[in-house]
């Protein structure tokens, strides 16, 4: 009987052990299911991160191309700006030269106007002299004519 009781106690202990093991197994299975679910979530998250990374890499490549294009456009615009600056500098130099030329021309014109005025005065003086000489010539002709007439009369009278 004692052995029977001992066997019964052992059996009860084994059943209790098995029951505790079964509960632990259920707990472990629940933990495994939770971990599997977390692993699935982690895999989904990793996939999403990888897709986002690929998308970001593609966007970065596109932006790099844009930056390269903008850099090229910037260089072209800087070159155009430099050329326009040089053209503006040349235009300013030409304008300065033209202003100096105009000032020189103005002073030359003033001198020429002064010279023309002097020449006009000289011309007027010469006209007066010519007029005086014309008058003198006319009187001299008249006197010569008179002298010629007088000489002709004297010759005729001889």
């Amino acid at each position: 009987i004692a052995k029977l009781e001992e066997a019964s106690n052992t059996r009860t202990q084994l059943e209790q052990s098995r029951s505790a093991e079964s509960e632990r197994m259920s707990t472990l299975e629940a933990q495994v299911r939770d971990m599997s679910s977390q692993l699935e979530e982690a895999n989904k998250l990793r996939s999403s991160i990888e897709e986002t990374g690929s998308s970001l890499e593609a966007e970065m490549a596109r932006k790099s191309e844009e930056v390269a294009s903008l850099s090229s456009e910037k260089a072209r615009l800087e070159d155009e700006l430099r050329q326009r600056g040089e053209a503006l500098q040349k235009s300013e130099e030409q304008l300065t030269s033209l202003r100096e030329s105009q000032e020189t021309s103005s002073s030359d014109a003033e001198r020429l106007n002064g010279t023309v005025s002097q020449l006009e005065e000289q011309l007027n003086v010469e006209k007066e002299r010519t007029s005086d000489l014309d008058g003198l010539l006319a009187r001299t002709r008249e006197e010569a004519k008179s002298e010629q007439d007088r000489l002709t009369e004297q010759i005729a009278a001889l």
Side-chain angles (χ1 to χ4, degrees):
I1 292 186
K3 282 189 176 191
L4 248 162
E5 278 183 15
E6 190 178 314
S8 177
N9 283 340
T10 301
R11 185 174 161 208
T12 303
Q13 285 177 350
L14 284 174
E15 284 178 357
Q16 286 175 349
S17 263
R18 191 172 60 170
S19 177
E21 285 296 317
S22 184
E23 282 182 31
R24 260 194 315 168
M25 189 66 131
S26 290
T27 302
L28 287 174
E29 286 174 350
Q31 286 177 347
V32 165
R33 280 191 304 272
D34 284 347
M35 286 183 171
S36 289
S37 176
Q38 288 175 358
L39 182 60
E40 279 183 41
E41 288 290 321
N43 284 335
K44 286 179 185 176
L45 186 58
R46 188 180 82 209
S47 270
S48 175
I49 289 171
E50 286 173 354
E51 288 174 13
T52 302
S54 294
S55 173
L56 287 176
E57 286 175 358
E59 181 69 16
M60 188 187 292
R62 191 178 64 76
K63 291 293 181 182
S64 292
E65 289 174 8
E66 273 184 45
V67 166
S69 173
L70 289 173
S71 293
S72 173
E73 180 68 10
K74 178 186 173 201
R76 187 189 66 75
L77 290 173
E78 285 174 344
D79 186 51
E80 185 178 330
L81 181 62
R82 181 191 51 75
Q83 289 174 355
R84 286 186 180 185
E86 290 171 358
L88 179 61
Q89 179 67 31
K90 286 179 183 176
S91 294
E92 287 175 350
E93 290 170 1
Q94 288 174 345
L95 183 59
T96 301
S97 175
L98 286 172
R99 283 184 180 146
E100 290 170 357
S101 177
Q102 181 184 11
E103 290 172 4
T104 302
S105 295
S106 293
S107 61
D108 287 349
E110 288 174 10
R111 278 187 296 228
L112 285 174
N113 285 337
T115 303
V116 167
S117 294
Q118 289 174 353
L119 289 173
E120 285 175 344
E121 287 176 20
Q122 289 175 358
L123 180 62
N124 288 335
V125 168
E126 289 301 320
K127 282 181 180 178
E128 286 178 23
R129 285 167 113 192
T130 302
S131 177
D132 290 346
L133 288 174
D134 283 344
L136 180 60
L137 180 60
R139 280 192 307 272
T140 305
R141 280 186 185 156
E142 283 177 22
E143 287 175 10
K145 178 110 169 123
S146 295
E147 186 66 27
Q148 185 181 6
D149 288 344
R150 187 182 64 78
L151 288 174
T152 304
E153 284 176 15
Q154 283 179 358
I155 291 174
L158 293 172

